[in-house]
Amino acid sequence: MSFDLIIKNGTLVTASSTYRADIGIKGGKISAIAETLEGENIIDAKGKLVTPGAIDTHVHLEMPIGKYTSTDDFYTGTKAAAFGGTTTIIDFVETRENQTFVEALEMRKSLAKKRSIIDFGLHMTIMPHDIKKLDQVQAAVEAGCRSFKIYMAYGNRLNDGEILLAFEAIGEAGGLPIVHAENWDAITTLIDKNLNEGNRGPEWHTRSRPAVLEAEAVGRVIDLATYAGVPVHIFHISCPEAIERVKNARIQGHFVTAETCPQYLCLTDEVFEAEGVEGALPICSPPIRGIIDQMELWEYLSSESFHTISSDHCPFTVGEKAEGLDAFNKVPGGVPSIEMRFPAIYSRGVRDGFLTVNQWVDLCCTTPAWLFGLENKGDIQVGKDADLVVFDPEKTVVLSETSLHEEAGWTPYKNMSITGWPEVTISRGEVIVKEGKCYGEKGRGQFI
Ligand code: URP
Ligand code: ZN
Ligand code: ZN
């Protein structure tokens, strides 16, 4: 048998096993896995781990939010992702009021297709003006968009009645609802109260969004999903109180899954203590919390209460963040994490003893693929897409805005030392990153 490329001598890591084998790649697919394979074009992975390409199911690239647009576009964002070992992302579609779901999907798809260097999927956001379009949910599913984002916070939020209607429509179409869960009414009351009392600095962002109000919304939305008879996936859980609700619902037999993100696992609210705009940079929602919350999240990951770790990559520039210096609620929310996610979870999770290598791969590759129906992704098996990472478990990288390839011009992880970094990233059999150089062409990414 001949191969286009062979990865030799590596230690293969999947969600369920770790073993020594060679991988033969042909026509963009994994075509053989054996103790020894021979061929001409070889990547020697001796001393390295070989994992599935990582999958980031929650990113916001060139996303319009109010008067801002998130900083990385589909080119710079997917390039940075590829440097970090990510070979598939899922971004979002937002409709205009007079647009159908399918029209909005086609527009966003063609924008992403022009620039993306890795494969991508899209979640459909259901906004208040979309409630009258719920009879189009089935058409969106048929057009390739199976997951539907619902906000319980911000201007785009749905009220409980609208959430119920959306859940019923998504359930009938066989889709998956995904939710940003926070108790918006209580939070906005606390924001106003704190601002009126002169508490305007970035540290008041976290203090206006207490954990119990995130947990309340998680519990409420699980109850709504249970009533509607649909599964539900909860995005960016930041605190033990919220994941405890998911855990209890699952014990009762409800199909609820949960995501957390690197910012909640690698940062604490001390980041807000930096002077001036530096303190405003890491504002995101739900907020970054204290060290005890962080340590408990790692324990919940260890005991498999979470299902995915995604980046929620949504950067804004220093100048944009600075516009909210006189009031924390004006700072555009979101941080850049698309590049560091996969290696950081290895470094902080596996090396620090919270996760096995298999749990790392499961959380960052395999379960994300399964949950969002990416059947050719997320695993090392004959017949799957040859999306693979040759990962050097000993390479140390100190993160900074210059070591990373994101466009925001800053990183909340500055000076964080990570041991374990991708050496080669392969997408459908093509080497797109090798030893610090990107070879992936703009527009090679496919909609999946
Ligand atoms: O603050 C955040 N997380 N911004 C991105 C949008 C969202 O809420 O997911
Ligand atoms: Zn969100
Ligand atoms: Zn998000």
Side-chain angles (χ1 to χ4, degrees), residues 201-399:
E203 69 278 19
W204 288 91
H205 175 69
T206 296
R207 293 175 196 168
S208 304
R209 299 173 109 98
V212 67
L213 296 184
E214 183 183 334
E216 184 281 332
V218 169
R220 180 159 36 104
V221 85
I222 291 173
D223 287 345
L224 291 170
T226 303
Y227 177 75
V230 287
V232 65
H233 181 58
I234 314 290
F235 265 173
H236 47 40
I237 286 185
S238 72
C239 57
E241 290 86 341
I243 189 61
E244 192 60 26
R245 303 276 178 134
V246 173
K247 190 176 157 187
N248 287 335
R250 288 180 64 86
I251 290 169
Q252 288 163 29
H254 303 309
F255 188 100
V256 187
T257 49
E259 166 199 277
T260 190
C261 313
Q263 46 274 36
Y264 307 119
L265 298 167
C266 301
L267 301 172
T268 69
D269 51 8
E270 283 181 14
V271 289
F272 300 119
E273 279 164 24
E275 288 289 303
V277 71
E278 290 287 312
L281 293 175
I283 283 187
C284 60
S285 297
I288 293 160
R289 303 192 187 275
I291 184 67
I292 293 173
D293 298 79
Q294 185 191 108
M295 296 315 289
E296 286 191 33
L297 289 183
W298 279 113
E299 296 296 342
Y300 278 98
L301 278 162
S302 241
S303 57
E304 304 190 344
S305 295
F306 282 101
H307 306 89
T308 65
I309 301 178
S310 312
S311 67
D312 191 13
H313 181 79
C314 189
F316 296 94
T317 64
V318 176
E320 288 163 340
K321 291 272 189 180
E323 286 182 36
L325 268 189
D326 61 332
F328 64 86
N329 67 327
K330 286 199 234 147
V331 179
V335 295
S337 300
I338 204 167
E339 186 170 347
M340 57 76 80
R341 175 189 68 115
F342 188 50
I345 301 307
Y346 176 81
S347 188
R348 284 286 154 92
V350 178
R351 291 192 82 98
D352 291 357
F354 293 107
L355 300 176
T356 65
V357 272
N358 311 101
Q359 286 175 315
W360 165 58
V361 165
D362 192 24
L363 285 159
C364 295
C365 315
T366 311
T367 294
W370 170 78
L371 190 61
F372 292 99
L374 311 176
E375 47 193 47
N376 292 319
K377 309 286 190 190
D379 203 355
I380 304 179
Q381 271 181 36
V382 171
K384 296 260 182 203
D385 285 353
D387 290 2
L388 297 160
V389 176
V390 178
F391 191 88
D392 183 346
E394 301 302 331
K395 180 170 178 179
T396 296
V397 171
V398 178
L399 302 183

